[in-house]
Amino acid sequence: MRPGILFVVVGPSGAGKDTLIDAARGALGESGRYVFARRLITRPANAGGEDHEAIDDAAFEALERGGELLVSWRAHGLAYGLRSSLLDELTKGRHVIANGSRGALDRLARKVPRVVAVVVTAPRTLLAARLASRGRERPSDIEARLLRADLALPDGIESIIVQNDSSPEEGVERFLAALETSARRLFLKPVPIDGWRDHIAYIPADSIVGAGDYDGPSRVDITGDGRSIRARINIVEPGWLLEPDELGLSREAFRVLGLPADAQVTLSRTPPQHSRDALRRKVQGGELGAAQYEMLLRDIVEGRYPESEIAAFLVAATRSLTDAEVVALAKVRAQFATPIRWDEPIVVDKHSMGGIPGSRITLIVTPIIAAHGLAMPKTSSRAITSAAGTADAMEALARVDLTVDEVRRTVFDARACIAWNGRLNHSAVDDVMNAITRPLGIDSNRWSVASIISKKLTAGSTHVIVDLPFGKRAKLRTEVDARDLARLFEVVGRGAGLHVEAYPTDGSRPIGRGIGPALEVRDVHWVLDGHPDAPQDLREKALSFAARVLSWDPAIGTPQRGRIRAEELLRSGEAREALHRIVVAQGAREQPVRPGPLVHTVRARRSGTISEIDGWRIAGIARRSGAPQDKGAGIDLLRGVGDNINTGEALYMIHASAAAELDAAVEMAARDDGILFDEELVGGCLVESIRS
């Protein structure tokens, strides 16, 4: 028998944890598969709240010294603990449910085989109303309690979020589903029975998932490691073929699923009919509402649908999403993540659809805004196909993999941060969807808008500016495409309760000189320092966006006054000082990354006027030189569109840290250097090698 799971229920005050645990005790207590822990608390037994084991301070400390507590912690002037005897229950294969503390999760994970944090939460307004209804605290105390609530979990802790924002019955149903989703994990065993085309799964009558729940003609989904198969369940006698935590598959079903023996799999009932009706309606081109999307996405995240049906849904969604549906999706998707709350009247953010090499304006806009005093907790991505994302560039200066607590501290200290969004804006929906959309090449601007707005909601933003570059090699090809998307961003933002302004920008050429993390940071420093070599296109674009963001401050009011203020902050050096504060607060590198020491200069093979720079090709050469993994690798553009060039004149320099990477990038540039003269692509290049 494999050990059971320790479910630690956590969440802010007012989320309803005790209510859900009590209801689960009534629903699951007699199954024999679950044990409900009673916490030891140093307060009287009749003090209200949960049913706990009362103990005085001296006795509690004696249990701690004697090693009789599995874990203990202090909060609100009281001591809390769980008895070590719970380990015996876990060893017997029973699942233990305990009301716990986030601060104890790390220690528990080191002591028990498997810990799952069940995070119970609800919108802040609802939490406040529930706390007020208790009559124990003043409104100011309630507000302070909610502001202090920390929803972050330690790294590496498995978790499930339960939104307890509806009726008590709905909350209990979600809570039980969350427990069962984790507890249903079984271990795969091939069964030498040929079911031919009929996929058959076998569970013992004493299965840990409760065999009676799966008895009947309906089929189930068996999911593991990104694979899924639908099968019919047969129940076998206990102790004969399978252990209680094993699931058998007929020969053909085992082959089709393609997982090894003893792999962990999840057994899920096929989606309820109303969920399947919603999916079918969307596949047929119909319109869904917020409640239908919430139900459908929850079933998808919980593994109730096979990949083929999810793919069909996503293909349909890319073709027919109304504005109202995008708004609904944005709101629903935000419910699958833990939001960050700020005690600020205005919290600003910026997003770019990207795809333009060197356009690192975030590292200029953010310190300008911070120097002015507005809060800007900027979360940014790493590069996927480009030579650098904003997070890659910032990482050449400081840490970017910040926790929620570190983001809060950085914004408190420096008024802004520039952090990696992969750790902060994790989305269970994206985990499932990206696994399907990326291999199939499914892409939709409307789906992306819902995802982006949902992440801004999760980040606690109130005002968002969006950069929409367009050009024949950008993600958005024409200005019409960009204006249509700008309208959608603003409509969806308004529907989700955000102030969003979106602007089409010229994406026909790279912005700035540097392409690659360290080179782009150099350009940023040049702009912030007022250096004579600062790229003017980068400076101008950054000032334009900073001016619009500053106009949201009522004391500024207009983009014209915002521009004056932005230029003043640049000229005075306050913006440069603000970037330094952000870097220090996030954790500055001991030595900032410099451009790679190995350099090759790419020269023109003919004379003429540069008519175009192929940003996609240039970014590809920069990636081949090692960027963004090698922060010092990349390209330094020496000439721009409209420049007159003579044969042999330098076009750009390739930087690298490794000779093999440099040679590969030079070879790539020799085939096509990405510089077009007078409408004609240069057929080759002369290369001068400089190694220092």
Side-chain angles (χ1 to χ4, degrees), residues 410-422:
T410 300
V411 174
F412 179 81
D413 291 343
R415 296 305 291 156
C417 70
I418 303 173
W420 176 46
N421 61 16

Side-chain angles (χ1 to χ4, degrees), residues 337-401:
T338 303
I340 303 176
R341 303 299 184 192
W342 302 94
D343 186 21
E344 299 275 355
I346 297 177
V347 178
V348 305
D349 204 344
K350 172 191 165 292
H351 181 81
S352 173
M353 293 301 284
I356 308 303
S359 184
R360 203 52 56 219
I361 68 169
T362 295
L363 270 67
I364 302 170
V365 173
T366 304
I368 290 175
I369 302 308
H372 178 70
L374 293 180
M376 189 169 180
K378 180 74 184 79
T379 59
S380 301
S381 61
R382 297 188 187 275
I384 298 176
T385 59
S386 64
T390 297
D392 298 307
M394 185 63 181
E395 200 169 34
L397 296 171
R399 281 187 56 226
V400 295
D401 59 334

Side-chain angles (χ1 to χ4, degrees), residues 14-24 27 120 122 126 130 162-177:
K17 301 185 293 293
D18 293 336
T19 300
L20 297 184
I21 291 173
D22 288 343
V120 180
L126 184 55
R130 289 173 178 170
V162 175
Q163 287 286 346
N164 190 21
D165 57 358
S166 187
S167 65
E169 294 77 15
E170 179 71 15
V172 171
E173 182 180 336
R174 293 174 182 174
F175 185 69
L176 293 175

Side-chain angles (χ1 to χ4, degrees), residues 226-243:
R227 295 175 175 270
S228 179
I229 190 174
R230 184 161 294 166
R232 179 166 53 87
I233 285 284
N234 282 356
I235 299 175
V236 301
E237 290 296 319
W240 170 61
L241 180 66
L242 301 166
E243 294 296 322

